[in-house]
Amino acid sequence: MRGFFWSLAVAALAACPVAAQTREPLALRDFGSFHVGGRLADVSGPVRKVPLGDGKTQEVDPNGVFLVEDMYVQYFLPQNRRGKFPMLMWHGGGLTGVTYETTPDGRPGWLDMFARKGWDVYVSDAVERGRAGFAPPEVFKGEPVFAPLGFAWEQYRIGAPGSFNNAPEKRVAYPGGQFPVAGYDNLVRQMVPRWLTTDDAILTAYIAEVDRVCPCVLLVHSQSGTIAYRAALARPDKIKAIVDIEGTLRGDEKTAAAVKHIPILALYGDNIDKSEFFSTQHVANVKMAAIAKSVGGDVEIVNLPERGVKGNSHFMMMERNNAEIADIVEKWLEDKSLVETGK
Amino acid sequence: MRGFFWSLAVAALAACPVAAQTREPLALRDFGSFHVGGRLADVSGPVRKVPLGDGKTQEVDPNGVFLVEDMYVQYFLPQNRRGKFPMLMWHGGGLTGVTYETTPDGRPGWLDMFARKGWDVYVSDAVERGRAGFAPPEVFKGEPVFAPLGFAWEQYRIGAPGSFNNAPEKRVAYPGGQFPVAGYDNLVRQMVPRWLTTDDAILTAYIAEVDRVCPCVLLVHSQSGTIAYRAALARPDKIKAIVDIEGTLRGDEKTAAAVKHIPILALYGDNIDKSEFFSTQHVANVKMAAIAKSVGGDVEIVNLPERGVKGNSHFMMMERNNAEIADIVEKWLEDKSLVETGK
């Protein structure tokens, strides 16, 4: 009989989100979501026969006015606010705001951690991604690109080129890696298709978010590094700092002075030298930091392994030591006087 | 000088989410998200040249193994729990979980309301929608269908057929309607493309969610009515009740007995008789209620206007009186002994 109840208890735990039993409650003074931005587009084209899957088709008339290129934002406002400004979390290419919500092994992500640190957190899905939806082919022109199962493993430095295998037991990660490899497929589940033609529309919607929510701090990843820099150039008075997780800034001599008052922290994980893609990006950001310094700006490059924080991939916000890296970010924000002290 | 500060205060308020200043804090014992379900698919096809938007193209190799047809779930677990089981909120066709998060005029949605009533709320994006992502064309077969600006207005009974106009000031809603028409475009922003070939994949992923989270109560809308009924047939021991907001159940004599222990509440808004689509669906559900009764089941159809609740469209969870309708749902759940009393 004891064994019977024990089995039931195990089954109940398995159904619960990880760690649901052990965490401190979080008091939110508000939470919710909204869509922002977008434009009306006149679409015209021939009536199409769309397959229904049973051999039959349905006629679809694509002609009309469509509301396109808006984006989605969800916010969590903690009762005990310490961050002086809202923190906007922007995801990378082929991803959505889920990047910041959870980890492949089911632990809390940075949304949770920074809300508990006292930041008003705004997590978004960019144009074309997730809950933003995507526009008809007549508007986006190109087509969505899909990442196969192993793409993120090799491209984003979980393991070396050639180390991925579709069979989980045959995948070889970098030694000492922080990525929770047993949950790798959960990272793949987070990934969504992306277009290659939508950068300007993505930026326009982000600026609409900035106009609604900011002044603010931007915390950005990968593809969003460039977008954050462009948004800062468009709204230099609204952006109080940028934390750039392995994203290229793409600034240059012409633009550096216009954003020199905005402190930027660029974080890099491990094994950068084993990836041509990230080596090139890293060189560009080091160069950008020097340009910024020459005009009185403040771009700090932190290579985590040099601080003894080793084994991180491109997805440091969801790896085993994500709390440690969140603390590094928080300390930098405190140093920049963006956190209320004495609270 | 007084005017100067007053202007600043107004600007700050405009940047805040609606009602952020006036609400009671909500204590969550946990919140987070996960993806669930999915399968591996071998995809093969010719290498494609994908446009980059600048006249150039990039070669994309579609061959490989892809993880497809998983879905996204976000959960909010209140500190003061009263609901005896988790409540899973499933959205309708062409929509995502945002259906339950907010309203077109920026007020709290049912996610917020039911969490505050003490329910563990799980809001999801079905296969193909929102943060679930979508699969390559070799997997989904069909193609996404897009809704023009006016589709929801006429199809979902905000106004009569022919009453929509692309110019907001020329739109004519039903008299006494509850939909916040000034925010209509925000409903359109919530809408996302849908396929016509994915019902079975959607159901399979929902069952994976049920297996992870339930026993539970389902609160479903529109397209999800049918899916909820099929999920109940697949997992009759896991579903404790279904609240069906204008969704067809599509049950029949053969299946009614298998789910007769599951109480079902089907809610309908106003002006059903002015829509052939909803009249037909309503007739089917009334018939289903009679079949259920004949085998000892419990399907209750509530036509809100007959209770004096008038003017609701298909989107009653986001209309002006959404709190009143949430209370009707809560009362029914209490009557079915699904709410802890004395708390």
Side-chain angles (χ1 to χ4, degrees), chain B residues 27-51:
Chain B
L28 297 174
R29 66 181 201 282
D30 201 9
F31 73 103
S33 72
F34 56 86
H35 281 76
V36 67
R39 65 182 177 89
L40 295 178
D42 270 305
V43 173
S44 60
V47 173
R48 286 199 291 269
K49 290 194 175 184
V50 175

Side-chain angles (χ1 to χ4, degrees), chain B residues 6-186:
Chain B
W6 181 84
S7 299
L8 277 182
V10 170
L13 278 172
C16 288
V18 172
Q21 307 298 315
T22 56
R23 303 176 63 206
E24 285 296 308
L26 173 65
L28 297 174
R29 66 181 201 282
D30 201 9
F31 73 103
S33 72
F34 56 86
H35 281 76
V36 67
R39 65 182 177 89
L40 295 178
D42 270 305
V43 173
S44 60
V47 173
R48 286 199 291 269
K49 290 194 175 184
V50 175
L52 291 173
D54 55 0
K56 295 178 187 161
T57 59
Q58 179 173 315
E59 284 202 345
V60 172
D61 182 351
N63 293 279
V65 174
F66 293 76
L67 180 44
V68 300
E69 297 175 354
D70 51 282
M71 65 176 280
Y72 168 78
V73 184
Q74 188 176 39
Y75 55 88
F76 297 79
L77 313 184
Q79 181 72 0
N80 297 316
R81 184 173 176 177
R82 290 180 69 246
K84 287 187 181 174
F85 300 97
M87 177 183 285
L88 278 49
M89 295 185 176
W90 293 357
H91 59 73
L95 295 159
T96 72
V98 179
T99 293
Y100 298 105
E101 288 182 357
T102 186
T103 69
D105 51 350
R107 293 176 301 107
W110 279 6
L111 157 58
D112 184 288
M113 289 177 185
F114 282 94
R116 287 174 190 272
K117 288 177 188 297
W119 289 90
D120 286 1
V121 179
Y122 290 69
V123 175
S124 50
D125 294 350
V127 168
E128 92 177 28
R129 309 287 170 73
R131 290 169 162 183
F134 55 96
E138 294 83 357
V139 175
F140 272 1
K141 306 298 182 195
E143 57 176 281
V145 175
F146 301 80
L149 187 64
F151 176 78
W153 184 283
E154 299 187 1
Q155 173 69 16
Y156 299 124
R157 311 190 326 277
I158 297 170
S163 68
F164 183 79
N165 193 294
N166 287 328
E169 69 278 10
K170 294 184 181 169
R171 298 170 190 170
V172 181
Y174 278 121
Q178 296 284 356
F179 192 92
V181 292
Y184 173 74
D185 288 4
N186 288 328

Side-chain angles (χ1 to χ4, degrees), chain A residues 23 38 86 113 121 129 135 137 149 166 170 197 209 211-212 229 234 262 274 307 323 325 342:
Chain A
R23 304 177 63 207
M113 289 178 185
V121 179
R129 310 286 171 72
L149 187 65
N166 287 328
K170 293 184 181 170
T197 56
E209 186 199 8
D211 285 341
R212 175 160 171 165
Y229 193 86
I262 304 174
K274 301 193 179 70
R307 296 221 185 164
I325 299 173

Side-chain angles (χ1 to χ4, degrees), chain A residues 216-259:
Chain A
C216 60
V217 169
L218 301 182
L219 192 158
V220 304
H221 180 223
S222 201
Q223 181 194 28
S224 291
T226 305
I227 295 168
Y229 193 86
R230 291 177 69 188
L233 287 171
R235 297 291 185 271
D237 55 325
K238 295 280 185 71
I239 310 300
K240 298 300 178 185
I242 299 173
V243 177
D244 180 25
I245 308 299
E246 295 201 354
T248 302
L249 299 167
R250 295 198 199 279
D252 56 24
E253 287 85 351
K254 290 181 200 156
T255 59
V259 293

Side-chain angles (χ1 to χ4, degrees), chain B residues 82-340:
Chain B
R82 290 180 69 246
K84 287 187 181 174
F85 300 97
M87 177 183 285
L88 278 49
M89 295 185 176
W90 293 357
H91 59 73
L95 295 159
T96 72
V98 179
T99 293
Y100 298 105
E101 288 182 357
T102 186
T103 69
D105 51 350
R107 293 176 301 107
W110 279 6
L111 157 58
D112 184 288
M113 289 177 185
F114 282 94
R116 287 174 190 272
K117 288 177 188 297
W119 289 90
D120 286 1
V121 179
Y122 290 69
V123 175
S124 50
D125 294 350
V127 168
E128 92 177 28
R129 309 287 170 73
R131 290 169 162 183
F134 55 96
E138 294 83 357
V139 175
F140 272 1
K141 306 298 182 195
E143 57 176 281
V145 175
F146 301 80
L149 187 64
F151 176 78
W153 184 283
E154 299 187 1
Q155 173 69 16
Y156 299 124
R157 311 190 326 277
I158 297 170
S163 68
F164 183 79
N165 193 294
N166 287 328
E169 69 278 10
K170 294 184 181 169
R171 298 170 190 170
V172 181
Y174 278 121
Q178 296 284 356
F179 192 92
V181 292
Y184 173 74
D185 288 4
N186 288 328
L187 168 66
V188 180
R189 288 182 175 91
Q190 289 191 19
M191 297 173 68
V192 298
R194 64 167 296 185
W195 277 254
L196 304 173
T197 55
T198 53
D199 277 9
D200 289 345
I202 289 171
L203 175 65
T204 300
Y206 272 128
I207 290 173
E209 186 199 8
V210 166
D211 286 341
R212 176 160 170 165
V213 178
C214 301
C216 60
V217 169
L218 301 183
L219 191 159
V220 304
H221 181 223
S222 199
Q223 182 194 28
S224 291
T226 305
I227 295 168
Y229 194 85
R230 292 176 69 187
L233 287 170
R235 297 291 185 272
D237 55 325
K238 295 280 184 68
I239 311 299
K240 299 300 177 186
I242 299 174
V243 177
D244 181 25
I245 309 299
E246 294 200 355
T248 303
L249 299 167
R250 294 197 199 280
D252 56 23
E253 288 85 351
K254 289 181 202 158
T255 59
V259 293
K260 67 178 183 180
H261 59 291
I262 303 174
I264 298 176
L265 171 67
L267 283 187
Y268 278 95
D270 212 338
N271 299 304
I272 295 292
D273 60 326
K274 301 193 180 69
S275 160
E276 187 184 332
F277 180 86
F278 285 105
S279 295
T280 304
Q281 190 207 86
H282 186 266
V283 166
N285 274 354
V286 169
K287 186 178 162 195
M288 182 61 216
I291 293 170
K293 190 176 182 184
S294 73
V295 297
D298 175 12
V299 175
E300 184 179 358
I301 312 280
V302 170
N303 304 304
L304 290 172
E306 294 168 7
R307 296 221 184 164
V309 180
K310 298 190 176 176
N312 284 106
S313 80
H314 192 49
F315 294 104
M316 61 184 74
M317 73 289 288
M318 57 180 85
E319 298 191 293
R320 287 194 193 91
N321 61 344
N322 63 339
E324 180 181 8
I325 299 173
D327 287 345
I328 291 170
V329 171
E330 178 73 1
K331 174 69 169 56
W332 181 84
L333 291 165
E334 284 174 2
D335 290 347
K336 301 303 169 187
S337 303
L338 293 166
V339 179
E340 300 282 0

